[in-house]
């Protein structure tokens, strides 16, 4: 009998969330790399709170965008795991390290696992949690902080109290994508 999928989440995403949560729980040390906008800062706060509650040794790095230097930093990081929030999906094929989790809503890298799962891929702990991969819109349905929240909640259900941070991230995204006339009359 298949387990019930919580909150109407796609069963494939639910499966990946479970695997990624196990990887996070099993890591001794984590580097969080997050975008420096409202969504990314909120996502980084969610990841940081989840890691702090687990008693993990972690550091946070804020990035404006993924650059060649950022890719190199991620690939050469000496920590057990790198958790990339609100960016990174477009660079998945460039990340070669073992132990990476990406919680993002931007359009994914079309080259990542383009040829399907291989034997070598099965030895890598690399998870991309992105709504686009599950038939949802990363532009209108969920933001990076929302995807990070889903993982945090899977890590420990007590992290439900971090939902407000996902709302802040979504609000921040809506402010940057709204039509100019939609902000008329607001302070």
């Amino acid at each position: 009998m298949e387990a019930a999928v919580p909150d109407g989440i796609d069963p494939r995403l639910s499966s990946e969330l479970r695997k990624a949560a196990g990887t996070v729980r099993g890591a001794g040390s984590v580097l969080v790399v997050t975008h420096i906008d409202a969504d990314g800062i909120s996502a980084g706060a969610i990841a940081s709170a989840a890691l702090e509650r687990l008693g993990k040794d972690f550091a946070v790095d804020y990035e404006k965008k993924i650059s060649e230097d950022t890719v190199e930093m991620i690939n050469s990081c000496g920590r057990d795991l790198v958790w990339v929030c609100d960016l990174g999906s477009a660079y998945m094929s460039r990340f070669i390290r073992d132990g990476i989790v990406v919680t993002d809503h931007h359009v994914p890298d079309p080259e990542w696992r383009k040829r399907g799962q291989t034997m070598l891929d099965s030895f890598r702990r690399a998870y991309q949690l992105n709504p686009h991969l599950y038939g949802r819109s990363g532009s209108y349905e969920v933001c990076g902080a929302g995807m990070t929240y889903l993982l945090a909640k899977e890590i420990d259900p007590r992290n439900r109290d971090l939902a407000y941070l996902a709302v802040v991230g979504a609000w921040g995204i809506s402010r940057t994508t709204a039509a100019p006339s939609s902000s008329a009359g607001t302070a």
Side-chain angles (χ1 to χ4, degrees), residues 10-167:
D10 183 299
R12 298 168 299 154
L13 174 57
S14 184
S15 174
E16 288 297 296
L17 284 165
R18 277 192 299 276
K19 293 176 198 172
T23 297
V24 173
R25 284 191 296 267
S29 60
V30 180
L31 173 64
V32 175
V33 179
T34 194
H35 198 195
I36 192 159
D37 67 2
D39 188 22
I41 293 168
S42 298
I46 292 166
S48 295
L51 293 167
E52 185 173 340
R53 290 171 178 182
L54 289 172
K56 299 296 180 188
D57 171 32
F58 71 96
V60 181
D61 179 67
Y62 295 93
E63 296 288 336
K64 185 174 182 179
K65 65 179 187 170
I66 298 278
S67 66
E68 291 299 320
D69 290 340
T70 309
V71 171
E72 176 58 31
M73 175 192 64
I74 289 169
N75 286 334
S76 64
C77 180
R79 292 183 178 258
D80 298 334
L81 179 71
V82 177
W83 185 348
V84 184
C85 303
D86 190 35
L87 37 71
S89 280
Y91 295 85
M92 283 301 290
S93 65
R94 306 275 313 281
F95 299 142
I96 57 172
R97 67 165 285 127
D98 182 43
I100 186 163
V101 172
V102 173
T103 50
D104 194 7
H105 69 112
H106 297 101
V107 176
D109 178 352
E111 297 300 315
W112 188 66
R113 291 196 179 160
K114 186 176 187 176
R115 50 186 204 281
Q117 185 79 13
T118 68
M119 278 301 279
L120 290 177
D121 286 338
S122 65
F123 292 106
R124 282 187 64 216
R125 292 172 301 138
Y127 301 97
Q128 179 178 200
L129 305 169
N130 185 310
H132 291 281
L133 300 175
Y134 306 99
R136 306 305 265 186
S137 172
S139 299
Y140 304 107
E141 295 182 71
V142 67
C143 62
M147 295 305 293
T148 304
Y149 168 74
L150 289 175
L151 179 54
K153 190 172 71 161
E154 185 66 35
I155 290 167
D156 186 333
R158 292 177 292 179
N159 288 329
R160 285 182 180 270
D161 67 338
L162 302 175
Y164 73 96
L165 290 167
V167 172

